Amino acid sequence: MTRLNELRDNPGSAKTRIRIGRGIGSGKGKTGGRGGKGQTARSGVAINGFEGGQMPLHMRMPKRGFNVPNAKKWNALRLDRIQAYIDSGKLDHKGVIDAAALVKAGVIRREKDGVRLIGGAGFSAKKVTFKVAHASKGAIAAIEAAGGKVDMPVAETKADA
């Protein structure tokens, strides 16, 4: 059994810091490890990606696609994870399982723009009703095979608008 007076740090775990700018004899004097003169020898330099005036590589590469500026952010949830929460008793499968119930049970942190159910294997809870934004075909098939129901809002089509 170790005693308090025998406690030691692991060998090599604590390094002494290098004291720079303390004379030429220290090996880190004069320029202090910053090389010669110039821009990077000064403080306040942030030139990540700067290539000396030529066009940087990330700007030379071709751009593709379109990034939606306000794309919806979904909580993607696998059915086997929901099943684990139901089995542990943290999630009540008798009522409607929606984003608010999932947050309350601790399955997800926040609601975001809704819940998207994915996966089909490993789900066996009987007569569970889900109210979610999206669900994959496999997830819907697994829930309906167990006797449950998936309630999703019907997306508007261009003909409706």
Side-chain angles (χ1 to χ4, degrees), residues 4 7-8 10 12 14 20 26 32-34 48-49 54 56-57 74 79 91 95 103 105 109 122 130-131 142 150 158:
L4 285 176
L7 289 177
R8 297 272 183 277
N10 292 331
I20 63 164
S26 68
R34 288 177 175 264
N48 293 336
Q54 76 179 11
L57 180 67
W74 307 105
L79 285 181
L91 188 61
V103 170
R109 283 190 191 160
F130 286 97
K131 189 174 174 124
V150 180
K158 289 185 180 177

Side-chain angles (χ1 to χ4, degrees), residues 113-131:
D113 289 319
V115 176
R116 175 175 272 167
L117 294 178
I118 53 177
F123 189 75
S124 60
K126 303 285 184 210
K127 294 187 179 177
V128 179
T129 305
F130 286 97
K131 189 174 174 124

